[in-house]
């Protein structure tokens, strides 16, 4: 098993070569890259930049654990919009394969593409809700979403990638049972989970129980902590998740993938130049406070992993 980190808490927006070197310097042996929007496939992830990024990855001796994609509304109620999102996913998968990863990732998607408020806002508003038309065909939208995810999974498999779906509040597959239902409906060996307990713990899922349930469909982990009232992403040990049992569960299912530490809501974190939900003011690049948080977390979780009998590379 390896511990890694995503680039975005260190550098929210591209370029990412400096963040890769910074993460390796903190002692991590894996890294995640991201494409926030389709436009980055033309503006940043060009053939030349991909070569340069691969050179940095190889030079640092760090694994690209997954490539995170944002292809668009795969659960849209509009067939043309879903089809466009599927084609964009294919482009992201091609870039991921060219970058050298074995996993392409997306979060799960909003039914009909209807956005909900961020869960972090729930404690700050008088009424936390979303307006939904009363005449929507929910059964058909589910079938359309299953078909879109199946197309993506089949394409990922065709380019020798796995497709990791990440559960997310208020979306299809917002908790473990929902994701397992989606995986069963899609019926593709390429489809599995990117497990982020900061999204599922507030929805009522115990982290170690989710690991046991996901078992052989657990492709990748993004770990962070929270207090269970929202989906903030803190350093493990700062919230209420039982990390010792999480590591034991990983050992029990013979997990040999990457545990990537994703701390989006800690002092000094990078949040780019665009307004973002969260408690802290944005930084274009993370401050030294973030390095400190990551070092503490790496030592803490490495100790728990070793206590559980996991082999940490």
């Amino acid at each position: 098993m390896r511990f890694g980190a995503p680039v975005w808490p260190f550098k929210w927006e591209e370029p990412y070569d400096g963040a890769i070197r910074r993460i390796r310097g903190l002692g991590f042996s894996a890294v995640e890259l991201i494409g926030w929007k389709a436009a980055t496939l033309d503006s940043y992830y060009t053939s030349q930049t991909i070569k340069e990024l691969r050179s940095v990855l190889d030079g640092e001796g760090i694994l690209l654990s997954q490539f995170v994609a944002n292809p668009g509304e795969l659960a849209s109620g509009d067939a043309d919009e879903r089809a466009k999102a599927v084609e964009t996913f294919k482009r992201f998968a091609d870039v991921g394969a060219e970058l050298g990863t074995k996993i392409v990732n997306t979060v799960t998607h909003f039914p009909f593409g209807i956005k909900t408020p961020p869960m972090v806002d729930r404690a700050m508003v008088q009424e936390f809700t979303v307006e939904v038309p009363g005449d929507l065909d929910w059964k058909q939208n589910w079938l359309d979403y299953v078909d879109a995810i199946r197309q993506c999974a089949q394409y990922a498999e065709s380019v020798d990638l796995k497709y990791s779906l990440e559960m997310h509040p208020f979306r299809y597959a917002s908790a473990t049972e929902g994701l397992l239902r989606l995986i069963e409906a899609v019926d593709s060996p390429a489809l599995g989970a990117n497990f982020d307990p900061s999204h599922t713990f507030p929805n009522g899922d115990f982290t170690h129980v989710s690991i046991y349930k996901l078992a052989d469909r657990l492709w990748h982990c993004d770990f962070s902590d929270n207090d269970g009232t929202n989906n903030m992403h803190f350093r493990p040990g700062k919230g209420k998740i039982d990390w010792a049992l999480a590591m034991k569960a990983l050992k029990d299912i013979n997990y040999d993938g990457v545990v990537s530490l994703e701390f989006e809501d800690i002092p000094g974190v990078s949040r780019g130049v665009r307004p973002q939900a969260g408690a802290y003011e944005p930084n274009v690049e993370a401050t030294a406070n973030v390095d400190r948080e990551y070092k503490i977390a790496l030592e803490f979780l490495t100790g728990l992993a070793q206590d559980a009998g996991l082999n940490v590379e």
Side-chain angles (χ1 to χ4, degrees):
M1 190 193 80
R2 292 174 183 243
F3 283 107
V7 290
W8 54 92
F10 296 89
K11 182 73 162 52
W12 189 261
E13 292 157 326
E14 64 278 351
Y16 295 127
D17 52 312
I20 294 171
R21 294 187 178 96
R22 185 172 176 178
I23 288 165
R24 185 69 180 109
L26 292 172
F28 293 93
S29 58
V31 66
E32 296 176 75
L33 288 171
I34 194 167
W36 288 114
K37 51 190 176 181
T40 60
L41 294 170
D42 298 314
S43 64
Y44 182 61
Y45 288 107
T46 64
S47 295
Q48 181 59 37
T49 302
I50 290 170
K51 289 179 182 177
E52 292 169 357
L53 287 169
R54 289 203 65 156
S55 178
V56 173
L57 292 164
D58 292 343
E60 295 294 324
I62 191 169
L63 173 73
L64 179 58
S65 62
Q66 67 176 6
F67 183 51
V68 180
N70 185 14
E73 299 298 340
L74 286 166
S76 172
D78 183 279
D80 290 340
E81 190 170 5
R82 289 195 310 275
K84 180 181 177 181
V86 169
E87 293 307 308
T88 303
F89 174 90
K90 293 176 181 179
R91 293 185 64 201
F92 273 111
D94 288 340
V95 168
E98 195 174 351
L99 283 165
T101 190
K102 290 297 182 183
I103 304 174
V104 61
N105 162 266
T106 72
V107 296
T108 54
H109 299 83
F110 292 110
F112 301 95
I114 298 172
K115 300 293 192 299
T116 62
M119 187 186 271
V120 297
D121 291 352
R122 191 162 61 184
M124 298 183 287
V125 296
Q126 182 175 357
E127 186 177 65
F128 188 81
T129 188
V130 61
E131 292 188 10
V132 178
D135 59 350
L136 297 175
D137 190 338
W138 287 87
K139 290 183 179 178
Q140 186 59 51
N141 188 247
W142 166 255
L143 294 174
D144 291 339
Y145 183 50
V146 168
D147 179 65
I149 294 296
R150 183 181 293 119
Q151 292 181 61
C152 293
Q154 289 173 343
Y155 189 80
E157 187 178 8
S158 76
V159 293
D160 197 30
L161 295 179
K162 291 181 177 180
Y163 177 14
S164 70
L165 267 174
E166 180 176 331
M167 295 165 277
H168 219 280
F170 310 118
R171 308 183 186 217
Y172 279 124
S174 60
T176 306
E177 292 299 329
L179 184 62
L180 290 171
R181 178 191 177 210
L182 180 57
I183 290 171
E184 181 179 10
V186 171
D187 191 24
S188 167
L191 187 63
N194 178 57
F195 178 43
D196 184 339
S198 280
H199 296 312
T200 58
F201 185 57
N203 287 333
D205 280 1
F206 286 113
T207 298
H208 57 297
V209 176
S210 294
I211 291 169
Y212 287 124
K213 289 180 176 180
L214 294 167
D216 60 352
R217 288 301 180 114
L218 183 55
W219 296 163
H220 192 274
C221 295
D222 278 356
F223 278 1
S224 57
D225 212 339
N226 63 45
D227 66 2
T229 65
N230 57 50
N231 65 329
M232 301 286 276
H233 292 57
F234 304 149
R235 164 167 59 85
K238 283 287 191 178
K240 295 186 177 180
I241 293 175
D242 189 329
W243 294 104
L245 286 183
M247 291 300 165
K248 180 182 182 299
L250 290 178
K251 171 63 176 177
D252 288 343
I253 69 165
N254 297 313
Y255 183 73
D256 193 32
V258 170
V259 171
S260 189
L261 308 186
E262 184 190 17
F263 308 160
E264 292 185 353
D265 302 290
I266 61 175
V269 71
S270 175
R271 299 292 279 177
V273 296
R274 300 186 299 271
Q276 302 287 343
Y280 297 104
E281 291 297 318
N283 296 285
V284 174
E285 294 195 34
T287 70
N289 286 335
V290 172
D291 292 357
R292 175 183 176 275
E293 291 282 289
Y294 269 86
K295 287 179 179 179
I296 293 171
L298 181 59
E299 182 179 0
F300 172 65
L301 290 180
T302 298
L304 291 180
Q306 291 172 340
D307 289 345
L310 287 161
N311 179 31
V312 180
E313 297 183 35

